[in-house]
DNA sequence: CAAACAATCAATTAATCTCTTGAATCAAGG
DNA sequence: CCTTGATTCAAGAGATTAATTGATTGTTTG
């Protein structure tokens, strides 16, 4: 198993971890875990996998030290083992996006002119927040919002957007965020808001990246 | 091909890139290319691959946009397509490194109870050394050993371990060390030695920590 | 134009993953 | 202690990937 050459052994370790990331299902599980810790059943149903299959993927991730598990009563709760993983996934996204032409096409065709929806960076958002110049909306579902969100954000899941438009200011910049750079929700929210004449923009990345950057977060106080 | 769900399609792309990284050979090629651009033949010989095999790996990397190639006369020169790759590889190795130690421990605990692999602290090692009660082995490769090692240590890289067992005493405690708490080498050496009936233990940390603590070191005098 | 190189292609075998299925644990509640 | 619910384990069919071998395509040089 272990090669005689330590350098090769190191590459072998790196490759093993990369292979652990080399499955769309596992990446999806990691993204779900980047938001909050979850049980196997929850992960399976969110990702559309069977329980057994999800469990096996999770064990594989655990074998390579990417996630940790602990038991709570009947269920086993998984979580990311290392916040650095968010960085790794981000880098993977960036490399993929920058280099795979097909990916760009997929993105563009789905998100119609992405450039028009120019995103706001974390830094920029922080500046605007300090000046009170911005209304921040979180387009993720309630449970995820409750588990943690950006300070001062309003939870406005996509489905509720249309009937809660009156809660939003017409004169102020609105910034929407969700799970990360590839999360669809905030794109759609911004598109919808702009169509209605609001001044809206996306946050460049999402809640997991925000938290990973060590910026402050809030939690809702409902069990 | 692309599912109706763009999110899934995105994960599929990310996974494909991760899989492209999921091979020790390809990672080694990328590392070589991170230094400078190179021809196929050069890469093959540096990495110990056959030309055909190296070529195939390189094409795979190219298919996923990680490297670019252009022809110069008879030869085809490859280079990294994106400087961001260095960031990605860095993140990968940080995540791996943080977890390799833990993984090894888990693996080892399958075979022997953890307590048996209890590491020896620097202080403890110093006491045993003063009493001449210990044989100290350095499991790092020759070059690293030559650059500096603990006083009195024998250089015994993992690959040579099996055929040099006779150099080791059966009656005396053996302590193995390598690069630090996350270095795999000494774990494997200790596991191997114990399997063969030697009394072996790991040093809690490695050469860098020893030197950083201001303790005495030796250097080999061969160029 | 033929010979010599450098790299790629094509095809085969061996090895590794993936998903599914059904049985086996393990904890909590009656 | 038996049942239920949640998860893991074990085994097998099907698909993917890796390394090897030998032939093939371009490029330069005599």
């Amino acid at each position: 198993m272990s090669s005689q050459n330590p350098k090769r052994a190191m590459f072998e370790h790196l490759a093993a971890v990369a292979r652990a990331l080399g499955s769309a299902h596992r990446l999806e599980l990691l993204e779900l875990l980047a938001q909050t810790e979850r049980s196997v059943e929850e992960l399976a149903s969110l990702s559309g996998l069977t329980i057994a299959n999800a469990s096996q993927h999770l064990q594989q991730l655990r074998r390579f030290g990417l996630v940790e598990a602990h038991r709570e009563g009947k269920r086993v709760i998984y979580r990311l083992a290392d916040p650095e993983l968010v960085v790794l996934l981000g880098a993977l996204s960036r490399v993929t996006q920058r280099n795979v032409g097909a990916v760009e096409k997929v993105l563009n065709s789905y998100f119609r002119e992405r450039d028009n929806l120019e995103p706001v960076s974390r830094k920029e958002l922080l500046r605007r927040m300090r000046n009170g110049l911005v209304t921040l909306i979180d387009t993720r579902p309630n449970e995820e919002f409750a588990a943690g969100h950006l300070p001062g954000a309003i939870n406005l899941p996509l489905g509720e957007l249309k009937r809660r438009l009156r809660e939003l200011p017409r004169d102020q910049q609105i910034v929407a965020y969700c799970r990360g750079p590839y999360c669809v929700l905030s794109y759609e929210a911004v598109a919808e808001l702009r169509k209605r004449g609001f001044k809206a923009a996306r946050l460049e990345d999402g809640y997991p990246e925000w938290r990973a950057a060590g910026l402050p977060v809030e939690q809702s106080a409902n069990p």
Side-chain angles (χ1 to χ4, degrees), chain A:
Chain A
M1 247 97 290
S2 62
S3 100
Q4 55 278 63
N5 181 347
K7 203 166 166 188
R8 178 101 3 145
M10 170 54 90
F11 283 125
E12 212 60 72
H13 278 291
L14 294 177
V17 172
R19 263 197 303 275
L21 298 178
S23 143
H25 289 322
R26 286 194 291 272
L27 288 174
E28 183 166 8
L29 291 171
L30 288 174
E31 207 221 29
L32 290 168
L33 290 173
Q35 293 156 34
T36 181
E37 56 177 44
R38 299 183 136 106
S39 69
V40 177
E41 184 184 38
E42 205 178 345
L43 289 165
S45 91
L46 286 169
S47 62
L49 296 171
T50 64
I51 305 262
N53 198 7
S55 171
Q56 282 182 145
H57 281 301
L58 288 166
Q59 278 170 72
Q60 205 162 340
L61 291 173
R62 186 167 58 170
R63 202 168 308 133
F64 293 104
L66 304 181
V67 306
E68 305 171 330
H70 63 109
R71 203 166 191 123
E72 278 181 16
K74 288 192 209 175
R75 37 193 91 201
V76 175
I77 308 294
Y78 279 85
R79 84 181 96 181
L80 290 196
D82 184 350
E84 183 85 17
L85 255 176
V86 177
V87 175
L88 175 55
L89 293 176
L92 180 60
S93 291
R94 260 172 284 127
V95 167
T96 304
Q97 185 183 16
R98 195 157 307 177
N99 291 318
V100 179
V103 170
E104 279 305 310
K105 278 180 215 147
V106 170
L107 278 178
N108 287 334
S109 67
Y110 190 79
F111 301 132
R112 36 203 108 169
E113 314 120 31
R114 194 148 140 277
D115 303 301
N116 285 349
L117 298 180
E118 221 176 281
V120 175
S121 69
R122 276 202 301 269
K123 206 168 133 190
E124 175 64 18
L125 175 60
L126 280 167
R127 178 163 46 237
R128 295 194 198 172
M129 282 166 77
R130 268 196 299 276
N131 298 340
L133 292 174
V134 68
T135 299
L136 188 57
I137 66 177
D138 183 322
T139 56
R140 297 175 301 159
N142 299 131
E143 317 83 62
E144 294 182 30
F145 180 83
H149 52 261
L150 272 57
I154 304 170
N155 185 210
L156 201 52
L158 214 47
E160 302 178 12
L161 184 60
K162 276 175 200 135
R163 66 171 171 280
R164 289 177 56 188
L165 284 174
R166 76 190 59 177
E167 299 176 29
L168 301 173
R170 294 211 161 257
D171 55 337
Q172 218 186 31
Q173 176 77 249
I174 298 171
V175 171
Y177 73 90
C178 51
R179 296 167 183 143
Y182 294 117
C183 175
V184 194
L185 304 171
S186 64
Y187 278 100
E188 295 192 351
V190 169
E192 182 66 26
L193 287 171
R194 292 196 169 199
K195 209 162 64 185
R196 311 260 172 175
F198 288 90
K199 292 185 284 183
R202 284 183 66 248
L203 177 61
E204 190 171 19
D205 32 39
Y207 174 71
E209 289 80 7
W210 179 277
R211 202 180 51 173
L215 294 167
V217 302
E218 286 180 357
Q219 284 186 321
S220 300
N222 64 351

